[in-house]
Amino acid sequence: MASSSVQALWLGILALASATAHAAEPSTVEQRAREDLDRQLQALVKTPPPEIVITYEGLPGAGSARAYKLLEVDFILNGQPLAVPGLDVLSGPGIHRLAALKVDEGSYTLVSRVTYTNNDTWNLFSEESGFLWKMTASVTFQAQKGLRMKVRVLPGINPTAPDPRLKLKLGHDVSAEMTAQLADASLAEDAGTPAVVARAPVTLPLPPPPPVTPPPTTQPLAMAPPPVAPPKETPELGPVAPGKLLLKVLSGKKPVAATAYVRGKGAPRQVILEKNAKKPAPVMLPPGEYTVDVLAQGFLAQTRQVKVTREREATLSFTLAKAPAKKTAQASVKNERVELPKPPRFAEKQAAPRKGSTAGIALLVDMLVRDESLKLRLEGHTDNREAPATARQALSEARAKALADALVREGLNPTRIETSGLGDSRPKAPNLIPRGRELNRRVDIVLVRGK
């Protein structure tokens, strides 16, 4: 009885498909009949609720060629933090399950924040000793009935990265598998005529045979998997439409391979710029203020501030300068004071640096871009003859501010610079000779560490 009922069902579908070859458009009655058949075929399949399984794949731990220590993790699904295993579990290599959830249909966003440090013995000459990698990544995906969404959080190591900040990276991988199983029918392995095996009596009324529009396929509708929206890595854009930022990095007139870090609203973005890029790289961002740092191997790092709006595209173009190879042409630090190979020089009674004496500013910018914890304190000075005693304090302050303005024009955030004037109270050389007075007309550059 069960077998004859299901066979009758398929005969009805085939009859409808063959009869509709002569019809142009289905009538309302015919459309209702088809929908009724679809509902009855769907009833043959048990559709479980959507599932989400989230796993974390740890980096190599103790005993590996390069050991990294996990310091902090934070996983948030649609604004709700997940209760995950402790750091002692997640620190080990291998795959660790973070969560297995049954959820409602809809869109879900997972935000992952992970902090690692180098687990090696402290080494003064290692650029990674004591370094912290604070990484954030997010992914958005669709959950639907009958599907299990498998989300993998994947930290990774890039051993050939030119910069310490690029050594570790964080990303996601999303895949889907069907969880719905046939309850009352199954298809034979033969791809030809479908064979149906009934497991329970099923009585399905057949509609009258007037012509209807032919279905797009002869395979049973109940076996078609529900549509799955492809997972995609996206920034946290929020409810507003994004704006577009175009990035271009050159050396002279030729594009150069570089990495740009975009910081502002939402999670920081890392943008890889190709060496042979013919067009600027587009970056979609929520409207707002952003800082863009650019690093490239063999070049001095640069930074810019930019405002992104929905109304018009913002464009940033960087022209990088070669990093000096000789030590004598590099900036050095002694007792938290930066010594430039060619410091800015000042004429008598003038606040602005002499023309051509500010080339060392690029070295300062490079230093601060590569270490976000650094700030600068600029201390202005005068000699004891270039102005009346009452005016020397203001002149020294003006010199410090003039150098700060030059750094801001190079893209440095003004919140990372503070200025002060000390007049002629701290001479560097005797004021008795012209050369000594010239050395005293200066701005000292002091490093201030910490956020």
Side-chain angles (χ1 to χ4, degrees):
M1 180 65 181
S3 176
S4 61
S5 299
V6 178
Q7 288 176 356
L9 173 61
W10 292 116
L11 289 174
I13 294 174
L14 294 175
L16 286 173
S18 60
T20 54
H22 306 289
E25 294 184 357
S27 66
T28 304
V29 175
E30 295 160 355
Q31 184 64 32
R32 285 201 302 266
R34 256 201 87 195
E35 292 173 356
D36 187 48
L37 275 177
D38 291 341
R39 285 194 298 270
Q40 294 178 65
L41 287 172
Q42 291 292 339
L44 295 176
V45 179
K46 292 181 180 178
T47 306
E51 297 180 19
I52 298 177
V53 177
I54 304 173
T55 58
Y56 180 82
E57 187 168 336
L59 287 175
S64 64
R66 172 65 68 186
Y68 294 92
K69 182 179 179 181
L70 184 62
L71 295 183
E72 185 180 11
V73 295
D74 186 22
F75 303 99
I76 300 175
L77 184 65
N78 272 19
Q80 298 296 321
L82 298 177
V84 300
L87 295 178
D88 55 337
V89 176
L90 299 180
S91 295
I95 298 175
H96 312 284
R97 175 171 288 194
L98 301 180
L101 309 169
K102 290 187 177 181
V103 297
D104 296 329
E105 287 188 301
S107 177
Y108 288 83
T109 298
L110 175 66
V111 180
S112 303
R113 298 186 179 95
V114 178
T115 301
Y116 275 95
T117 186
N118 189 294
N119 205 26
D120 286 344
T121 305
W122 172 262
N123 184 349
L124 179 63
F125 301 100
S126 173
E127 61 183 6
E128 292 186 29
S129 289
F131 200 91
L132 290 180
W133 288 269
K134 295 185 177 182
M135 301 175 289
T136 301
S138 64
V139 65
T140 300
F141 54 91
Q142 289 291 126
Q144 298 188 12
K145 288 183 178 181
L147 291 180
R148 179 182 295 114
M149 305 304 299
K150 302 171 72 174
V151 185
R152 298 165 61 203
V153 184
L154 300 171
I157 303 175
N158 183 9
T160 60
D163 187 270
R165 292 194 294 182
L166 302 177
K167 287 292 178 69
L168 297 188
K169 56 185 179 180
L170 183 67
H172 294 96
D173 178 73
V174 181
S175 60
E177 64 181 15
M178 293 187 63
T179 57
Q181 301 295 329
L182 284 177
D184 299 306
S186 63
L187 286 180
E189 295 182 0
D190 186 9
T193 304
V196 182
V197 179
R199 299 183 181 178
V202 181
T203 304
L204 298 175
L206 292 177
V212 294
T213 302
T217 177
T218 59
Q219 295 184 354
L221 300 178
M223 293 303 296
V228 181
K232 55 183 180 181
E233 294 279 352
T234 60
E236 300 177 57
L237 298 180
V240 298
K244 181 184 285 189
L245 172 63
L246 298 177
L247 294 178
K248 181 167 59 174
V249 180
L250 305 173
S251 172
K253 295 184 179 180
K254 295 182 179 180
V256 62
T259 302
Y261 296 89
V262 183
R263 293 179 284 109
K265 283 191 174 182
R269 298 286 304 276
Q270 178 178 313
V271 182
I272 305 299
L273 299 138
E274 302 294 339
K275 181 178 181 180
N276 299 320
K278 296 183 180 179
K279 296 182 179 180
V283 185
M284 304 306 294
L285 298 165
E289 303 281 348
Y290 290 88
T291 298
V292 181
D293 299 337
V294 170
L295 295 93
Q297 189 172 13
F299 294 88
L300 295 175
Q302 292 188 12
T303 184
R304 297 282 189 279
Q305 311 296 314
V306 64
K307 183 176 182 179
V308 176
T309 66
R310 287 173 291 178
E311 288 72 24
R312 56 180 301 177
E313 296 177 349
T315 302
L316 282 182
S317 181
F318 295 82
T319 302
L320 303 185
K322 287 279 189 180
K326 296 182 179 179
K327 266 196 171 183
T328 55
Q330 300 173 1
S332 60
V333 180
K334 296 180 181 178
N335 298 324
E336 298 302 310
R337 292 182 178 268
V338 181
E339 299 289 341
L340 297 177
K342 294 182 179 180
R345 295 182 292 109
F346 297 86
E348 288 186 7
K349 302 179 182 180
Q350 298 298 315
R354 291 180 184 271
K355 289 184 179 180
S357 70
T358 57
I361 285 179
L363 300 175
L364 285 177
V365 173
D366 176 82
M367 184 180 297
L368 268 71
V369 169
R370 295 183 184 276
D371 190 343
E372 296 179 7
S373 67
L374 294 180
K375 293 184 179 181
L376 295 179
R377 184 172 71 249
L378 305 180
E379 300 175 345
H381 301 268
T382 67
D383 65 37
N384 67 349
R385 296 186 184 183
E386 60 180 319
T390 55
R392 293 171 198 157
Q393 176 66 28
L395 180 58
S396 64
E397 292 175 358
R399 283 174 175 165
K401 190 175 185 306
L403 186 58
D405 291 342
L407 287 166
V408 171
R409 287 194 296 271
E410 290 298 313
L412 204 61
N413 194 318
T415 61
R416 301 180 69 182
I417 309 170
E418 58 183 73
T419 61
S420 64
L422 301 175
D424 64 341
S425 62
R426 296 184 185 177
K428 188 176 183 179
N431 282 302
L432 299 175
I433 59 176
R435 176 58 178 163
R437 291 193 294 273
E438 183 181 10
L439 291 175
N440 290 333
R441 298 192 295 269
R442 71 190 190 278
V443 173
D444 289 339
I445 303 165
V446 183
L447 289 182
V448 180
R449 299 184 183 272
K451 292 289 184 183

